[in-house]
Amino acid sequence: MTSLEVLLAVAVLGSSLFTAFLLTLPSRYTSEAVTDAALGSRGSSSRTGTSTTKRSPKTTVQVLVLGDIGRSPRMQYHACSIAKNGGQVALIGYKDSDIHPDILSTPLISIIPLPSPPKILRTNNKLLFLLCGPLKVVWQIWCLWIVLGYRTKPAKWLLVQNPPSIPTLAVSQIICFFRQTKLVVDWHNLGFSILALKLGSSHPLVRISEWYETYFARSATANISVSNAMARVLNEDYHITSPIIPLHDRPSIGFQPISPSERSLFLSRLPDTVSYTDALLSGKMKLLVSSTSWTADEDFSLLLDALAAYSEMATTTHPHLPEILVIITGKGPQKDHYLARIAELDNEDKLEMVTILTAWLKAEDYASLLGAADLGVSLHTSSSGVDLPMKVVDMFGAGLPVVGWDKFEAWPELVQEGVNGMGFGSKEQLRNLLVELFEGDGERLRRLRAGALREGNHRWDAEWEPKAGKLFGVCNK
């Protein structure tokens, strides 16, 4: 075979491969493609018995969570709001826990589950992470490419939760380029700041992650942030010039205050509280609630040490203090570590006046628990300093006052000191707050509850519709 024939064969092969590449690219979005079935899955969907609407939707949106949908309430609220206002949604993510019932009952929302990475690639070990992490990213890239590009029909908008930013932002940008879709990044935090908790802020991977995150975010059509402080950082420090819309978390309609009779009924029904109902209703015991994902950005040793110090005071210098029942809800990697610490304190008799329980509750029971509690606790320390804990928003929705770690910039956007909650910066300050709020006639706690009830009147729909609703074109406010 002559050299000319070789070159010709290579050219034919290259041309064939390029043609095949073009023919297999994801289909493009066009306005004519918006129909009542515009976002249906091309493969199987986890939804069953779903009907279609007779009218075309106002818009089509893919909502992407590279995480468990059931543990991503803000993205679920986005999906519900878009559908409620006439948009059609493909909600994409892992389906590892219960999903909000409103999503399951809404015909305009389709759930497209992502395959979970193999267990061998999921590790919290620092050394194994350096090996398994890149392999997990490769797995996620493939899954995202198939689901975003082929299992779903093209949409006008792609709304992406960040973090995680790797590989979500890069894959999303490429998909949006090929499908002519507009990308919106919903900033819950800065992803590289979370990675820094695991590897250290000076680690090369953290620096690369920071560059990657801001580079790929700059070409988004628009950005949504959970705080004004985050919007400022994105604009001033990372030079993101596309629109940045601060959209604060607000409680959904599912979080409501409960009446004294409803509280009594709930406490006597919930297995975790049934043995303590009489003491809780009489005021001899106070109910303290905290929700957590048991991760490095929440130091539960602060709460445990403060409770141990409270118990010591209640058995010595302040015998009038009530007992405390603490219920901690949630799942996460550090749970076993703190359960061992709780057992250790119990064995040392350092929690005589405190009972600590952990629970994983259904959504409606969790909402009722917040309404029945006396005080909520937030230990969120904010890896970036500019994100906000959504758990506090839910507590306000139920009329529950909050004490929380306040040593980060965005905290005052959420809690008004002495009005609907109080901040602390050490275990001693937290202990003092518990004593101050639980001793005496409880007047200080009642004032904070009144403030929490007022704050809880600010709801998600009123925050979302004039901002995100206007952006997506489903609201004219």
Side-chain angles (χ1 to χ4, degrees):
M1 181 180 291
T2 66
S3 58
L4 180 60
E5 290 175 326
V6 172
L7 289 175
L8 182 60
V10 170
V12 170
L13 177 61
S15 176
S16 299
L17 291 174
F18 183 68
T19 301
F21 171 74
L22 293 178
L23 290 174
T24 56
L25 283 175
S27 55
R28 285 190 169 195
Y29 168 82
T30 60
S31 58
E32 291 80 8
V34 182
T35 66
D36 56 337
L39 280 180
S41 171
R42 292 182 179 177
S44 61
S45 169
S46 60
R47 294 286 304 274
T48 57
T50 302
S51 60
T52 58
T53 57
K54 294 182 179 180
R55 291 165 48 186
S56 296
K58 292 181 180 179
T59 193
T60 54
V61 185
Q62 292 176 331
V63 178
L64 174 61
V65 180
L66 192 60
D68 181 16
I69 295 173
R71 297 170 67 185
S72 304
R74 180 177 170 97
M75 303 310 284
Q76 293 186 81
Y77 294 170
H78 276 303
C80 286
S81 294
I82 293 167
K84 176 183 175 182
N85 288 280
Q88 193 157 14
V89 180
L91 181 54
I92 303 164
Y94 301 131
K95 194 181 176 187
D96 296 332
S97 59
D98 293 338
I99 293 174
H100 198 288
D102 288 351
I103 288 178
L104 299 176
S105 63
T106 303
L108 284 170
I109 303 176
S110 298
I111 300 170
I112 316 298
L114 285 171
S116 296
K119 288 185 178 180
I120 194 172
L121 299 182
R122 288 176 277 173
T123 179
N124 291 309
N125 183 283
K126 186 174 180 179
L127 293 177
L128 289 178
F129 174 78
L130 295 176
L131 173 64
C132 296
L135 297 176
K136 180 180 176 181
V137 169
V138 172
W139 169 276
Q140 291 172 331
I141 289 173
W142 174 251
C143 293
L144 288 172
W145 180 258
I146 294 300
V147 171
L148 292 175
Y150 299 96
R151 284 192 56 204
T152 53
K153 292 186 178 180
K156 182 176 183 179
W157 300 93
L158 173 57
L159 175 62
V160 177
Q161 172 182 298
N162 185 71
S165 56
I166 300 174
T168 318
L169 292 182
V171 176
S172 297
Q173 284 285 9
I174 296 170
I175 286 290
C176 286
F177 173 78
F178 283 123
R179 306 202 87 170
Q180 296 296 289
T181 293
K182 297 179 180 180
L183 177 63
V184 178
V185 180
D186 189 24
W187 293 82
H188 297 198
N189 201 349
L190 302 177
F192 72 88
S193 70
I194 297 176
L195 184 62
L197 295 176
K198 181 178 293 187
L199 301 179
S201 59
S202 60
H203 196 283
L205 286 180
V206 175
R207 300 274 68 85
I208 293 171
S209 175
E210 181 179 10
W211 171 85
Y212 162 94
E213 187 171 14
T214 54
Y215 175 81
F216 281 102
R218 288 191 188 115
S219 54
T221 300
N223 299 270
I224 299 172
S225 68
V226 297
S227 70
N228 295 324
M230 183 173 290
R232 179 192 59 76
V233 167
L234 293 175
N235 177 251
E236 297 179 5
D237 296 352
Y238 297 110
H239 312 294
I240 293 176
T241 56
S242 55
I244 303 172
I245 304 169
L247 179 66
H248 290 88
D249 286 320
R250 299 295 183 196
S252 72
I253 197 68
F255 292 92
Q256 297 286 345
I258 62 177
S259 66
S261 60
E262 290 171 328
R263 181 175 189 256
S264 176
L265 181 63
F266 173 76
L267 292 174
S268 62
R269 176 179 64 81
L270 187 70
D272 300 284
T273 57
V274 64
S275 301
Y276 309 98
T277 301
D278 291 342
L280 290 168
L281 294 177
S282 68
K284 294 180 180 179
M285 175 179 277
K286 298 295 184 182
L287 178 55
L288 193 72
V289 174
S290 186
S291 174
T292 180
S293 53
W294 299 103
T295 52
D297 64 348
E298 293 182 307
D299 184 3
F300 261 81
S301 62
L302 277 172
L303 176 59
L304 299 182
D305 290 342
L307 290 170
Y310 175 96
S311 181
E312 181 181 6
M313 291 181 66
T315 54
T316 55
T317 59
H318 291 64
H320 56 283
L321 287 173
E323 293 184 66
I324 300 178
L325 172 63
V326 182
I327 298 182
I328 305 172
T329 68
K331 297 177 180 179
Q334 294 190 351
K335 183 176 181 178
D336 289 342
H337 166 75
Y338 284 111
L339 288 179
R341 175 67 176 144
I342 292 169
E344 179 183 339
L345 291 172
D346 271 328
N347 292 335
E348 295 172 353
D349 295 325
K350 292 184 177 180
L351 296 174
E352 291 183 51
M353 295 292 288
V354 177
T355 301
I356 302 176
L357 305 176
T358 60
W360 177 253
L361 304 176
K362 295 185 295 185
E364 56 269 27
D365 284 341
Y366 175 63
S368 296
L369 177 66
L370 296 187
D374 295 292
L375 186 65
V377 177
S378 170
L379 296 166
H380 181 78
T381 56
S382 181
S383 60
S384 64
V386 293
D387 72 312
L388 289 168
M390 193 170 187
K391 70 192 77 177
V392 174
V393 174
D394 296 336
M395 291 173 182
F396 287 157
L400 180 64
V402 175
V403 293
W405 178 268
D406 65 354
K407 303 305 178 184
F408 58 98
E409 180 182 349
W411 174 258
E413 292 186 39
L414 182 62
V415 175
Q416 294 176 275
E417 185 69 21
V419 176
N420 50 30
M422 301 181 75
F424 60 85
S426 67
K427 60 185 179 182
E428 292 81 12
Q429 290 179 0
L430 176 54
R431 177 206 60 193
N432 293 341
L433 286 178
L434 296 178
V435 172
E436 177 184 344
L437 295 174
F438 287 163
E439 72 177 347
D441 61 3
E443 177 59 29
R444 186 69 181 274
L445 189 59
R446 282 192 291 272
R447 288 201 302 269
L448 290 181
R449 182 174 290 276
L453 286 167
R454 289 192 298 272
E455 183 64 27
N457 290 327
H458 302 291
R459 293 285 164 168
W460 172 259
D461 287 343
E463 179 79 4
W464 188 90
E465 290 176 359
K467 296 179 178 180
K470 185 176 180 181
L471 172 67
F472 293 122
V474 294
C475 297
N476 296 320
K477 295 183 179 180

